Every structure is written in structure tokens, then in C-alpha cells.
């Protein structure tokens, strides 16, 4: 009824009766052996609190970027060291900071609590962070495979990345900390560097070339990653499309994170202005953040 993911997940967890609870997201399809592979792994590895498999990304539909966007979302230059997205040549299961379509032991939710219902996004990352803080271990099991269908319309792709970037920062308003990993904040650092150097260049004419400091290395790595991937796949069309898809991911995500940071700063300032030192409470407890 609330129409947001964490509330729905919590309703399902409360209704579930099994010893293991598996989440399968709507934009994905699990392989026929996915469940049995993870169940077998958890039965054999008592130290694992949860496990998830390898993600193979495909296009949700056709279009200009139908091949490029799935490549970007599986490339280390695109998504960093997100193990379940990029995988590697080593087929051995290993510990991970977070996994996709995770299968948890039911007792995990007794130990660390249910999903945070104010986090419209990033609730899975926040849950994984809580598990790690409680001494728990999540495992990546590459033998279990999921196919994820990515949005490949360029506008929807940008919007999706903007929202992901926004919700990499906004959870701090409710948690008092950022639940994301360093890789999630790299686009924020890049976008901020570009904006600051452009601002300085416009203010001080002598610094007119300053924006080249963050932009040129990025473009060099972008083009190198794009051309190398295009050559490896023997598809020269990718050499033209991948640079734009990488830029779209990083700029939209980084801009969303920056906007979230500004909203967070506004929230903190408003809270300070409404803070009552006599009661140690906000004068406006119902002050909305979002």
C-alpha cells in the first residue's frame, strides 16, 4: 500500500515462513539453478549470512544504446569494483560488501532488523552495511546467475542514474552516515571538480585551462576503455557509443549525488535553525526532508 520497495520487502519478510529468504528484483530473471545453488552454498557455509550470484546485464529493449549501456553497467570503468556486476575470471565464491538478488538466513533480520522504510532507494546497500557492522558476511557465488534487464532509452538511463546518485547521499539524513562505498562517491568527486574548476576559470581568466585537469584524464581513460572494449568485441560502433554511455552514467550519477548533498546541507541548516537548546530537540519535529 505504501508503494515503496523497502515497505513491500518488510511485509514479505514478515509473511515468509522459511529459514531462508530470497529477494528477486523485478527487472531480473534468475537461472533455473539459482535457488538450489545458493541454498546448497548456505547449507555448506555456516559463516555466510547471505549469498548472491553473478549478474549478466542485457538490454530491456532495442535502440541506439541497446548494446552500449549493458556493457557500461558491467565494466569496471563504469561501475568500479562492484563484484556482482563485473565479475572476473576467478570462479571461486568469495566475500562481498553487497550482492544482488540476495538469499539471506531468516535470522539475519532478527539480528540487524528489517529494511529501512524511509529509503526509497539504496535500502539494499544500507542493509548490507548493517550486516557487515554486525560481524556478518555476505558471499558472492558466481555459479548462481541472474540476468538483469537495463533501461536503454538514453533519457530513462540518465534519470535512473540521477536517482541512484541522489539516493547514494540522501540516506545520511536518516542514518547519520553514508551507507555507500567509495566507488559510489567517485562520480560526485568528478562532477564537483569539474564545476569548481569551471567556476574558477570563469572568475580568474588566468585559470582558463584549469577545467582540463579533471576533464582530460577522464576523457583519456574513457576513450581508452571504450576503444579497448570495442576492439575486444569486434564492434566499432561501440567505439562511438560507449564514450557517451560512460559520460551519461558518471555525470548523471554525480550530479544526482551533488544535488542530494545540497539537499542534505539544507536539511542540516534548517534543523540547526529550529533546534531548541533548552529541550535538546527540534522546535519543528515534523520538518519534512524530502
Amino acid at each position: 500500500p505504501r508503494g515503496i520497495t523497502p515497505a513491500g520487502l518488510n511485509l514479505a519478510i514478515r509473511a515468509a515462513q522459511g529459514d531462508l529468504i530470497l529477494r528477486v528484483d523485478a527487472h531480473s530473471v534468475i537461472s533455473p539453478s539459482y535457488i538450489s545453488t545458493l541454498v546448497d552454498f548456505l547449507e555448506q557455509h555456516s559463516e555466510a549470512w547471505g549469498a548472491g550470484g553473478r549478474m549478466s546485464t542485457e538490454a530491456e529493449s532495442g535502440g541506439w544504446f541497446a548494446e552500449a549501456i549493458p556493457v557500461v553497467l558491467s565494466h569496471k570503468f563504469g561501475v568500479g569494483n562492484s563484484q556482482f556486476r563485473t565479475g572476473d575470471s576467478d570462479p571461486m565464491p568469495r566475500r562481498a560488501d553487497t550482492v544482488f538478488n540476495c538469499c539471506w538466513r531468516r535470522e539475519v533480520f532478527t539480528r540487524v532488523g528489517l529494511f529501512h522504510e524511509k529509503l526509497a532507494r539504496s535500502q539494499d546497500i544500507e542493509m548490507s552495511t548493517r550486516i557487515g557492522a554486525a560481524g556478518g558476511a555476505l558471499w558472492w557465488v558466481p555459479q548462481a546467475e541472474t540476468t538483469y534487464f537495463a533501461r536503454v532509452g538514453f533519457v530513462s538511463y540518465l534519470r535512473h542514474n540521477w536517482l541512484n546518485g541522489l539516493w547514494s547521499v540522501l540516506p545520511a539524513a536518516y542514518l547519520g552516515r553514508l551507507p555507500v562505498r567509495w566507488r559510489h562517491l567517485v562520480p560526485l568527486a568528478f562532477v564537483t571538480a569539474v564545476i569548481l574548476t569551471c567556476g574558477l576559470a570563469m572568475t580568474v581568466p588566468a585559470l582558463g585551462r584549469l577545467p582540463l585537469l579533471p576533464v582530460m584524464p577522464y576523457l583519456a581513460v574513457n576513450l581508452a576503455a571504450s576503444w579497448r572494449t570495442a576492439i575486444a568485441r569486434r564492434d566499432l560502433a561501440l567505439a562511438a557509443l560507449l564514450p557517451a554511455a560512460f559520460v551519461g552514467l558518471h555525470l548523471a550519477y554525480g550530479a544526482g549525488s551533488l544535488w542530494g548533498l545540497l539537499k542534505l546541507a539544507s536539511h542540516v541548516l534548517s534543523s540547526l535553525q529550529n533546534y531548541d537548546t533548552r529541550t535538546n530537540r527540534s522546535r519543528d519535529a515534523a520538518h519534512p526532508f524530502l
Side-chain angles (χ1 to χ4, degrees):
R2 292 183 57 193
I4 60 172
T5 300
L9 290 172
N10 289 344
L11 285 173
I13 291 168
R14 292 188 184 102
Q17 298 179 8
D19 294 329
L20 300 174
I21 295 176
L22 171 67
R23 170 181 178 173
V24 181
D25 278 15
H27 283 264
S28 65
V29 174
I30 57 176
S31 64
S33 62
Y34 192 86
I35 295 174
S36 59
T37 299
L38 295 185
V39 170
D40 289 346
F41 180 85
L42 291 173
E43 287 180 345
Q44 297 170 20
H45 296 80
S46 58
E47 75 280 9
W49 288 28
R54 180 193 303 272
M55 175 195 286
S56 174
T57 304
E58 296 185 6
E60 184 181 58
S61 59
W64 280 92
F65 288 88
E67 186 176 357
I69 287 175
V71 171
V72 167
L73 296 178
S74 304
H75 198 288
K76 289 186 177 181
F77 179 63
V79 296
N81 65 339
S82 179
Q83 192 165 256
F84 68 84
R85 287 183 179 274
T86 62
D88 55 35
S89 58
D90 187 350
M92 298 301 295
R94 68 191 67 176
R95 290 187 61 160
D97 53 27
T98 189
V99 289
F100 183 69
N101 281 347
C102 186
C103 183
W104 301 274
R105 301 186 191 278
R106 183 185 184 85
E107 64 202 52
V108 168
F109 302 103
T110 303
R111 293 186 182 186
V112 303
L114 298 176
F115 285 95
H116 198 302
E117 294 195 1
K118 290 188 177 180
L119 304 185
R121 291 174 180 254
S122 298
Q123 74 282 148
D124 51 343
I125 298 174
E126 190 274 332
M127 171 62 73
S128 298
T129 302
R130 259 190 287 154
I131 289 173
L138 295 175
W139 283 73
W140 177 65
V141 183
Q143 290 75 21
E145 297 185 359
T146 292
T147 300
Y148 172 75
F149 295 95
R151 300 167 178 84
V152 293
F154 202 71
V155 174
S156 62
Y157 171 68
L158 294 178
R159 181 178 182 276
H160 183 70
N161 290 320
W162 163 277
L163 289 172
N164 283 343
L166 180 68
W167 279 97
S168 71
V169 173
L170 290 189
Y174 306 112
L175 307 174
R177 56 181 172 79
L178 288 174
V180 294
R181 308 291 176 176
W182 67 266
R183 66 174 177 267
H184 299 100
L185 301 177
V186 172
L188 169 62
F190 174 64
V191 168
T192 302
V194 171
I195 292 174
L196 289 178
T197 54
C198 286
L200 286 171
M202 289 187 291
T203 304
V204 183
L207 300 178
R209 295 184 179 180
L210 190 62
L212 297 178
L213 288 178
V215 170
M216 292 306 292
Y218 173 81
L219 289 179
V221 177
N222 185 339
L223 292 174
S226 298
W227 274 93
R228 182 176 179 181
T229 303
I231 292 171
R233 291 173 174 261
R234 298 181 179 180
D235 186 350
L236 290 182
L238 282 177
L241 295 172
L242 283 177
F246 278 125
V247 169
L249 168 61
H250 296 145
L251 289 189
Y253 194 104
S257 298
L258 182 58
W259 182 244
L261 194 63
L262 294 174
K263 288 175 71 70
L264 188 61
S266 174
H267 169 66
V268 171
L269 289 174
S270 179
S271 298
L272 290 174
Q273 291 172 353
N274 288 289
Y275 189 74
D276 191 333
T277 56
R278 293 172 299 177
T279 62
N280 287 329
R281 297 180 63 183
S282 173
R283 297 187 184 93
D284 183 10
H287 174 69
F289 173 49
L290 300 177

